[in-house]
Amino acid sequence: MSPERATIPVLDLSTARRPYGSFSPEFIGQLRDAAHNVGFFQITGYGAAPGQAEELLGLLRRFFELPLEERMKLDNRLSPHFRGYTRMGTEVTQGKADAREQIDYSPEREPIHNYPAEQPYWLLQGPNLWPDHAMPELKPAAMAWAELMSGVGMELLRGIAVSLGLPEEHFDAPFSDEPAWMGKLVHYVGGVVEAAGDQGVGSHADYGFVTLLLQDDVGGLEVLPPGTTEWATVEPIPGALVVNVGEMLEVATEGYLVATIHRVKAPPPGVDRYSVPFFWSPRLDSVIDAVPLPPELKAQARGLSDDPANPMLASFGLNMLKGRMRAHPDVTERHYPGLMQR
């Protein structure tokens, strides 16, 4: 890898396992190198139905072409669970508005009202907001995509476990029963949010385990892996998924795997960009312990790339709640003003 700009590897997930079921050593080697050195890679051959990705991106376009008053029926300020529609320019990264609008969604579950004071992350659980009357086809398509991504995310996590010298089921337990994955349906538009400038999404690392991103052909995603000095562009590959490591895996491996900083540049004025990020994440009450790395890998662990103003937490639920509150201060202020004082 160049010390200036990284190259983003491309892996074929259909080659991950040998005919009798175990992981291919060649694939595991590629996966380890990508997750350790870059923290980002793209995958093909992940099992989407023919046309499924293109259909979902087409539905996004149709939703964001609905009148604003129709989209606002899903206003995320109505949801105490940080779900629904976020207006253009109201999500915040690094304290600055992003030039995007989106729908946030997660598993459809009943809210939890009586939870211990030290477990405020349970407020994240609840129902989604969907355009059931204006566009009833959006929910089933988005949830089918989430089901596919859950399987892909688990397969990658099992491959990552093997790449670390662990049994492939090492990470299964935190994802059993009720994993707290999160999906987004995102529309970027350049030149309409003055405060954002060219920031589609500001530089950040993801707080979960594995992120799977479907992007259209417009581009704009840039990454800055450790040891590099120039942002690298993740060029769109039709139908492929962009994968990156989240903070929970960096914490668990003491920095052997890296949650790489990335950003999205807003498209030029008048150009639309659509993407579907999916965050494969465990149960909200999961606490992630350090994994026992083989000595040769432990010797290459970098330690945590921690920001004192945004510390990584071993509790997934608290890490996720921290991220949601930072991104949506208007929702937090409306529903949980007491949490803002902590």
Side-chain angles (χ1 to χ4, degrees):
M1 186 170 65
S2 163
E4 289 82 29
R5 181 180 289 119
T7 299
I8 311 302
V10 180
L11 283 63
D12 182 353
L13 192 60
S14 69
T15 68
R17 292 186 183 267
R18 294 184 282 198
Y20 48 87
S22 65
F23 278 102
S24 155
E26 293 78 12
F27 180 86
I28 291 300
Q30 294 172 348
L31 180 61
R32 182 191 302 112
D33 289 346
H36 170 63
N37 291 318
V38 188
F40 264 82
F41 52 97
Q42 299 203 60
I43 60 170
T44 59
Y46 55 89
Q52 184 177 6
E54 295 77 9
E55 178 187 2
L56 183 58
L57 290 170
L59 289 172
L60 263 67
R61 179 182 296 275
R62 285 178 49 204
F63 172 79
F64 291 113
E65 288 175 347
L66 290 173
L68 179 59
E69 63 184 36
E70 199 64 50
R71 285 174 275 154
M72 288 299 291
K73 292 178 181 178
L74 315 182
D75 185 354
N76 70 335
R77 292 172 297 181
L78 301 174
S79 169
H81 315 294
F82 296 86
R83 312 287 178 87
Y85 171 70
T86 302
R87 295 150 294 141
M88 185 72 70
T90 58
E91 183 163 11
V92 176
T93 308
Q94 297 285 356
K96 185 177 177 182
D98 296 327
R100 63 175 174 171
E101 56 183 342
Q102 66 191 33
I103 291 177
D104 287 284
Y105 69 107
S106 286
E108 298 272 5
R109 297 182 182 134
E110 289 298 314
I112 295 178
H113 299 292
N114 299 312
Y115 49 80
E118 69 275 13
Q119 298 177 7
Y121 48 76
W122 289 115
L123 63 85
L124 295 169
Q125 180 166 308
N128 296 309
L129 299 177
W130 295 106
D132 291 329
H133 298 293
M135 256 189 87
E137 62 271 39
L138 183 60
K139 175 182 176 180
M143 295 303 279
W145 186 258
E147 182 176 3
L148 173 65
M149 291 300 99
S150 296
V152 174
M154 200 67 245
E155 180 73 347
L156 284 171
L157 209 49
R158 288 173 176 155
I160 287 171
V162 172
S163 80
L164 297 174
L166 304 168
E168 70 169 73
E169 65 274 8
H170 179 84
F171 294 111
D172 282 17
F175 290 83
S176 65
D177 193 20
E178 294 190 333
W181 56 259
M182 182 175 69
K184 290 176 178 279
L185 310 175
V186 187
H187 175 215
Y188 297 90
V189 183
V192 300
V193 182
E194 185 176 348
D198 66 352
Q199 175 172 301
V201 179
S203 60
H204 67 286
D206 293 342
Y207 47 74
F209 270 75
V210 175
T211 301
L212 308 166
L213 171 74
L214 174 67
Q215 59 173 345
D216 66 10
D217 59 0
V218 173
L221 175 60
E222 298 179 338
V223 305
L224 190 65
T228 64
T229 57
E230 296 183 19
W231 291 90
T233 299
V234 183
E235 298 292 347
I237 298 174
L241 296 176
V242 181
V243 182
N244 64 279
V245 172
E247 290 178 344
M248 302 307 291
L249 280 177
E250 182 169 321
V251 169
T253 62
E254 298 179 350
Y256 177 77
L257 300 182
V258 59
T260 293
I261 296 293
H262 52 287
R263 68 186 184 189
V264 177
K265 302 298 287 294
V271 175
D272 299 282
R273 178 180 186 266
Y274 299 92
S275 70
V276 185
F278 179 86
F279 304 88
W280 179 232
S281 306
R283 295 191 316 275
L284 287 169
D285 60 355
S286 299
V287 176
I288 307 306
D289 296 324
V291 300
L293 292 176
E296 65 273 18
L297 300 188
K298 190 173 181 64
Q300 300 176 57
R302 304 175 181 89
L304 302 185
S305 58
D306 215 354
D307 176 355
N310 185 27
M312 298 181 190
L313 305 172
S315 162
F316 172 70
L318 291 177
N319 222 27
M320 185 174 184
L321 179 60
K322 170 173 66 82
R324 299 274 75 201
M325 290 173 61
R326 282 175 175 266
H328 301 284
D330 52 351
V331 176
T332 307
E333 184 176 7
R334 179 169 183 169
H335 294 281
Y336 309 106
L339 287 180
M340 299 184 75
Q341 309 305 317
R342 294 190 179 189

